[in-house]
Amino acid sequence: MKKCAREWLCALLALVLVLGLTGCGGSGSSDIKVNVEVPEEYKEFVTPYNVNVVEKAKSDGKMHYYFMASEGYVANAGDHNAIKWGDSCLIVYPDGTTMLIDAGVEGYGPILVLNLKLMGIEKLDYFVLTHPHDDHGYGAVRPGGLLENIEVGHVYYSGVLNAGWSNPTILPDLCKEKGIPCDIIKEGDKLTIGGVEIQVLNPTGEVAGTTIAGSDETGSITKTNNASLVMRFDFEEHSALFTGDIYRAAESELVKKYKESGLLDVDFLKLPHHGGDTSNSITLVKAVTPVLGVATGNDPVDIMVYGNYKKNTTVLMDSEDGYIHVTADKDGVMTYETSRARSEKSAYGQLPEAKERKLTA
């Protein structure tokens, strides 16, 4: 729901839990470990969510967000930051429908595939690519990655193509080869999946379907990032916003378009561009006013950005907290758990104490 309209509502952020090796807990068939052999080289990096996440969502009727992490794995060998791996989040809808948003870098592909299998995913219903950059798409389209190893029912992307890729049309080409429906979505499009309403807020129809060329100096990275899919999710009283890698200029445009309608005002935010200072402007923070935020990529959130959110938002990040699992029920109550405790020496301070606390608009 729109937070500006819920002054009468107090939501509860439940216990902050540190995951054990058995994963998510609960009861019933969803707790049964999935029998997947993990090669020794990946054992310390894969997800602790060794549980049937589809059955878990079906049994509790909640929306689940599983944010991937690399836990220091050298996924980007040769880069100046070799352990920076990108973005990937598995959403499991209340009816068990699955959607993966982004897939990390090529080197992360094998871990991503293992993660999904460890969570009982034999087939993904949907894959969404927010924008064609290596750290969001190569884990899906390159050898050893998602599309080579996991059956996918439907693919959505913005249609924006990156001329810097050796094959700019690799995603639609692979989908055609494998017989997977692959559709462009853009601003104004609406989907209903698993009882959840999804609205696409970016990019515009003029940008969708274009090829972005040129060097970094001519702004090709900025243009591609600003053409990221921005998607709002509404599950009755719960609302979430996924933002890809949009920069401040795109944030400003979105605020101009949607602030009055309240479409940016949500409970839960996937921080733009891994929590970097290219993004996450005060303008956006004030428009979104999230209760909970997540940043991934093993690229620590800019400390000033963290400060912008800190007053009203609990921000989780894989560089500090490992794998992150967020749940939301239809009443808007959110809980989260992380795979490891935050260091006592963390520059970001500690997460709220492990007790219930009220969250107000």
Side-chain angles (χ1 to χ4, degrees):
M1 71 181 290
K2 299 174 185 176
K3 289 180 63 190
C4 59
R6 60 171 192 151
E7 293 180 357
W8 53 271
L9 175 67
C10 285
L12 294 177
L13 179 62
L15 298 180
V16 180
L17 303 174
V18 177
L19 291 174
L21 295 177
T22 57
C24 301
S27 61
S29 62
S30 64
D31 283 336
I32 299 174
K33 285 188 178 183
V34 181
N35 186 19
V36 175
E37 185 176 349
V38 178
E40 193 66 35
E41 63 184 302
Y42 297 132
K43 283 185 176 178
E44 64 182 291
F45 307 111
V46 297
T47 177
Y49 305 127
N50 184 201
V51 63
N52 191 317
V53 296
V54 169
E55 293 304 318
K56 184 174 182 64
K58 286 180 178 179
S59 66
D60 64 23
K62 297 179 180 180
M63 197 164 180
H64 292 258
Y65 305 88
Y66 295 91
F67 290 89
M68 303 299 153
S70 68
E71 295 298 73
Y73 179 69
V74 179
N76 207 12
D79 189 83
H80 70 283
N81 187 351
I83 59 174
K84 182 179 177 181
W85 67 274
D87 266 350
S88 186
C89 177
L90 175 69
I91 299 177
V92 187
Y93 292 84
D95 69 346
T97 300
T98 55
M99 173 185 282
L100 186 74
I101 299 181
D102 291 331
V105 299
E106 179 178 0
Y108 189 73
I111 292 178
L112 175 62
V113 169
L114 283 169
N115 286 347
L116 295 174
K117 290 181 176 179
L118 282 164
M119 292 187 282
I121 303 296
E122 297 179 355
K123 176 185 177 181
L124 270 174
D125 295 303
Y126 299 94
F127 171 64
V128 176
L129 177 65
T130 60
H131 63 293
H133 273 158
D134 299 8
D135 60 332
H136 293 255
Y138 267 10
V141 300
R142 301 290 280 183
L146 177 75
L147 292 178
E148 186 180 87
N149 291 281
I150 299 286
E151 184 181 354
V152 176
H154 205 127
V155 169
Y156 288 116
Y157 74 124
S158 67
V160 172
L161 305 177
N162 181 0
W165 281 8
S166 58
N167 177 8
T169 61
I170 189 170
L171 178 62
D173 287 352
L174 273 173
C175 289
K176 183 177 181 180
E177 175 186 321
K178 295 177 177 295
I180 304 171
C182 183
D183 292 326
I184 293 173
I185 53 176
K186 59 187 182 304
E187 178 188 19
D189 287 340
K190 296 181 180 181
L191 306 169
T192 301
I193 297 175
V196 175
E197 301 297 323
I198 303 170
Q199 299 182 67
V200 183
L201 308 183
N202 195 67
T204 64
E206 290 77 17
V207 174
T210 63
T211 299
I212 294 177
S215 64
D216 295 353
E217 289 74 20
T218 60
S220 66
I221 289 180
T222 299
K223 291 174 184 176
T224 304
N225 280 339
N226 281 338
S228 294
L229 284 171
V230 175
M231 304 168 69
R232 177 186 168 112
F233 298 78
D234 284 280
F235 172 44
E236 297 198 24
E237 302 297 331
H238 168 71
S239 55
L241 192 69
F242 277 66
T243 56
D245 277 358
I246 57 171
Y247 282 177
R248 290 174 178 244
E251 292 174 357
S252 179
E253 288 301 312
L254 287 170
V255 171
K256 289 177 184 177
K257 287 181 182 179
Y258 298 116
K259 185 174 182 179
E260 292 302 315
S261 68
L263 283 176
L264 294 180
D265 193 2
V266 298
D267 308 310
F268 178 43
L269 174 68
K270 173 63 172 62
L271 271 61
H273 204 206
H274 316 281
D277 62 359
T278 59
S279 315
N280 302 284
S281 61
I282 286 291
T283 300
L284 181 76
V285 174
K286 289 182 177 179
V288 179
T289 63
V291 171
L292 187 63
V294 170
T296 63
N298 206 29
D299 191 14
V301 170
D302 181 83
I303 199 69
M304 296 295 289
V305 165
Y306 191 84
N308 291 344
Y309 285 103
K310 188 175 180 180
K311 182 177 180 181
N312 298 307
T313 307
T314 297
V315 175
L316 308 172
M317 62 197 88
D318 66 331
S319 60
E320 297 287 315
D321 308 308
Y323 284 86
I324 296 161
H325 172 210
V326 175
T327 64
D329 68 25
K330 63 183 180 181
D331 296 323
V333 178
M334 291 186 293
T335 66
Y336 64 85
E337 53 187 356
T338 65
S339 64
R340 54 184 165 86
R342 187 172 291 188
S343 168
E344 293 181 358
K345 298 180 180 179
S346 172
Y348 304 93
Q350 296 302 297
L351 294 172
E353 294 180 9
K355 62 182 180 181
E356 292 184 340
R357 68 185 185 95
K358 291 183 178 180
L359 303 169
T360 56

